[in-house]
Amino acid sequence: MSLNLPSHYVMQFATNIELLLQQKGSRLKGTVTSDTYAGKQASPVDQVGSIEMQEVVNRFAPMGRVDAPVDRRWVFPGDFDLPQLIDSFDKLRLLTDPNSKYVENAVYAAGRKYDKLILAAAVGTSKTGEQGGTSVTLPAAQKIAVNFGASANVGLTVAKLRAAKKILMKANVDLDMDPLFLPVGADQHDNLLAEVQIISSEFNGGDALVLKEGKIDRFLGINFIHTELSQANVIASNVVGLPLYCKSGLHLGIWEDIKTDISQRKDLQGLPWQAYVTMTAGATRLDENKVVQIACSIA
């Protein structure tokens, strides 16, 4: 009897396809403004600076003119794809069709790409000017030092949160209309669990719960979003920079949203199936005064 009976193939493959642990899609897309575009670049906003009223000192004097400072912020698209080949021979050996899980896995990756674009734009270099030729970095005044309020480098603390929120308030960010968001990793979440303002019952009564089943969702008017992708912005050895931002401070431009396609590759041996996912998008910071970088030690 042959050892290559089809029944033996089933023993070599799982009957169910299980996706390994991962962030399932985007967690930050809804925390920023967003729009769709076409072309090689787009301007999501024209910026108009503040002006002041002028005192009238003479009657019937010639009327002067006040010119508000203006600028234009730009967002540039990037093209991304994720092709996966599924061997037709392998497919025949499976008891379940792998196409759906392969596509689901790729769509999760595309969603995470949105978050990576947003996080990079929050603290990165933005493009401004008539054609986007001027680079703008986040000013030092918008950054909280890693040793703020301590004699050595520390992780995320209530003192840092207060200082960051104070910067936004002094810049006249409308906290009543513009919600605040802070992407944090497990390290920063654990840092806050050591803060008395977080765990004390005095701060966890009534409708103002800080902890909900051991998870910090909101504190000081800041909405916490857990994503380990936030740890990618390494600004020094064992130091990451987390962006605290209001929704109107960041923008996600979408040229083509996540698009999926499953087709058979007749140009390859075995006629494999291809699960193909594409997207075209970019992100930018709209206003430096609406973003604060908080440096946190992860040592």
Side-chain angles (χ1 to χ4, degrees):
M1 180 180 294
S2 174
L3 295 178
N4 295 318
L5 289 176
S7 59
H8 287 272
Y9 286 134
V10 176
M11 298 172 60
Q12 299 174 20
F13 294 85
T15 58
N16 294 294
I17 301 174
E18 180 178 351
L19 298 179
L20 296 178
L21 285 175
Q22 58 184 292
Q23 178 179 311
K24 297 180 178 180
S26 174
R27 295 179 182 173
L28 303 181
K29 188 178 179 182
T31 69
V32 302
T33 61
S34 180
D35 208 341
T36 57
Y37 302 102
K40 66 177 183 179
Q41 64 190 71
S43 175
V45 64
D46 285 333
Q47 300 170 321
V48 181
S50 63
I51 54 178
E52 298 293 336
M53 294 293 294
Q54 307 296 305
E55 182 181 2
V56 178
V57 295
N58 295 308
R59 299 185 65 185
F60 310 119
M63 186 179 297
R65 188 182 74 189
V66 176
D67 295 321
V70 295
D71 213 334
R72 179 171 291 167
R73 190 57 54 96
W74 293 88
V75 59
F76 295 83
D79 300 315
F80 310 95
D81 72 350
L82 183 55
Q84 301 176 90
L85 290 178
I86 308 167
D87 196 315
S88 293
F89 298 129
D90 292 341
K91 184 179 178 183
L92 291 174
R93 296 177 175 91
L94 293 171
L95 294 181
T96 57
D97 187 344
N99 285 355
S100 60
K101 284 297 182 182
Y102 275 86
V103 173
E104 182 182 5
N105 201 30
V107 170
Y108 286 160
R112 291 194 299 273
K113 190 62 181 181
Y114 280 141
D115 287 4
K116 292 177 182 178
L117 292 172
I118 292 170
L119 289 166
V123 297
T125 300
S126 300
K127 296 295 185 178
T128 190
E130 185 177 356
Q131 298 295 328
T134 302
S135 297
V136 180
T137 59
L138 192 66
Q142 299 297 119
K143 298 179 180 180
I144 303 297
V146 66
N147 60 350
F148 180 86
S151 58
N153 292 355
V154 292
L156 186 59
T157 63
V158 171
K160 290 182 179 181
L161 294 176
R162 290 176 55 191
K165 186 175 180 179
K166 180 180 178 181
I167 291 174
L168 296 175
M169 292 182 69
K170 293 189 74 172
N172 293 308
V173 172
D174 188 351
L175 300 182
D176 293 326
M177 301 297 294
D178 216 352
L180 297 180
F181 298 95
L182 179 63
V184 297
D187 286 328
Q188 292 80 47
H189 186 274
D190 189 64
N191 293 154
L192 291 178
L193 290 179
E195 298 280 280
V196 64
Q197 295 95 326
I198 300 294
I199 61 176
S200 173
S201 59
E202 296 181 7
F203 297 88
N204 282 277
D207 296 329
L209 289 176
V210 177
L211 283 177
K212 295 181 180 179
E213 297 183 353
K215 183 171 179 284
I216 305 170
D217 288 327
R218 183 177 171 86
F219 180 66
L220 290 177
I222 301 170
N223 299 289
F224 291 83
I225 310 295
H226 174 237
T227 170
E228 292 302 313
L229 299 177
S230 62
Q231 309 304 286
N233 182 32
V234 178
I235 57 179
S237 178
N238 293 322
V239 177
V240 298
L242 305 181
L244 172 63
Y245 59 89
C246 56
K247 183 168 185 175
S248 66
L250 299 178
H251 186 80
L252 177 66
I254 300 175
W255 274 253
E256 183 178 64
D257 210 343
I258 300 172
K259 182 179 179 181
T260 63
D261 175 78
I262 297 179
S263 58
Q264 193 169 21
R265 294 287 303 272
K266 296 184 180 297
D267 59 322
L268 299 177
Q269 287 185 338
L271 303 180
W273 290 86
Q274 177 174 269
Y276 192 53
V277 175
T278 63
M279 60 181 284
T280 300
T284 187
R285 187 177 55 249
L286 295 181
D287 190 333
E288 282 63 52
N289 289 323
K290 294 181 178 182
V291 180
V292 176
Q293 178 182 274
I294 306 175
C296 298
S297 172
I298 56 174

